[in-house]
Amino acid sequence: MALVVICGQPCSGKSTAAKCLAEALNESECKQTVRIIDETSFHLDRNQSYANMPSEKNLRGVLRSEVDRSVSKDNIIIVDSLNSIKGYRYELWCLARAAGIRYCVLYCDVGESHCRKWNEERREKGEAAYNDVIFEDLVRRFEKPDRRNRWDSPLFELWAHNDGVERSSIAIVDVVSYLTKKADSKSRDVKILQPTIATQNTRFSEANSLYEMDRATQEVINAIVEAQSQSIGGPLASISIGQGLPNIDISRSVGLPELRRLRRTFIKLTGQTSLSGRPPPSDSNSAKRMFVDYLNRELGTIA
């Protein structure tokens, strides 16, 4: 249903805000599952993760992949991380758009001096803290969100140092209201991102495409076997596999070993084509349509 990106300087109260927001959503009329995705979920050490650019890039990749797998219209995902680079926030926004869900940014706006003080207090307590070099580097590179950017909008600002971080904080209450408000013609302030053709194509990973292709081609094979068993050796003009899909035209009985061989060849050829040409089909009907066309060509030439 929604993707919430929490961003802010290091030690600005982001994790506390994420926890309070999750609790507030669970206590509201929200029926969706609420989940927080953060570094600790993957047992990633903050100093090691931000020690250099390759490590930081790997961290963002891990979080982005988990968000990509998790976003749907059945849950609310809260990304609790620095999310300090506007290009990365744009990537997360693209994932939300591809899923066709709501999106917003919760910015923990805290001054550098207060963040630095909170980081030192954590270190003194033996809690997870940034070392000074990494902390100063992250502060320097932080790119503040701008509500004029679509990937930073709508933007909710939480002043943790002045107002504290509670479930009743104004920013958190506003986020809950935005996420739970019914979207209709009257609620113009609620925006549900609409996927484009490009985002719909990129939404499906290679694994999803292979899964859909494997399942769809097996369903076609099952339909052929079932139709042949019901004909009891009689002639088969064509086999229907569903409304809006082409029929399978066969003039002879085709055994299961031959069907399996054709299926394996089709999957292999489709995978090779996707490396240099168009991507493999990402939905069941497209995969079925391509497989039926392939079968009609192959079975027609050897009939």
Side-chain angles (χ1 to χ4, degrees), residues 1-5 21 25 30 32-37 67 70-79 92-93 95-97 99-105 154 175-176 178-181 190-193:
M1 175 192 168
L3 175 62
V4 181
V5 175
L21 176 58
L25 285 167
C30 173
Q32 283 74 23
T33 301
V34 181
R35 182 189 172 199
I36 298 175
I37 294 178
V67 172
S70 304
V71 289
S72 74
K73 296 183 179 180
D74 299 321
N75 56 28
I76 296 177
I77 300 299
I78 302 172
V79 187
L92 295 176
W93 177 83
L95 294 180
R97 183 177 63 172
I101 59 177
R102 303 185 195 197
Y103 172 92
C104 68
V105 174
V175 173
V176 172
Y178 178 78
L179 297 179
T180 57
K181 185 181 296 184
V190 176
K191 184 177 181 180
I192 298 178
L193 300 178

Side-chain angles (χ1 to χ4, degrees), residues 3 5 86-97 101-105 145-156 178 191-196 198-199:
L3 175 62
V5 175
K86 60 183 179 181
Y88 182 59
R89 295 196 296 270
Y90 172 74
E91 292 177 9
L92 295 176
W93 177 83
C94 287
L95 294 180
R97 183 177 63 172
I101 59 177
R102 303 185 195 197
Y103 172 92
C104 68
V105 174
D146 185 342
R147 65 180 72 252
R148 292 173 297 182
N149 298 327
R150 52 186 175 172
W151 55 86
D152 289 334
S153 177
L155 178 65
F156 300 92
Y178 178 78
K191 184 177 181 180
I192 298 178
L193 300 178
Q194 299 299 320
T196 63
T199 55

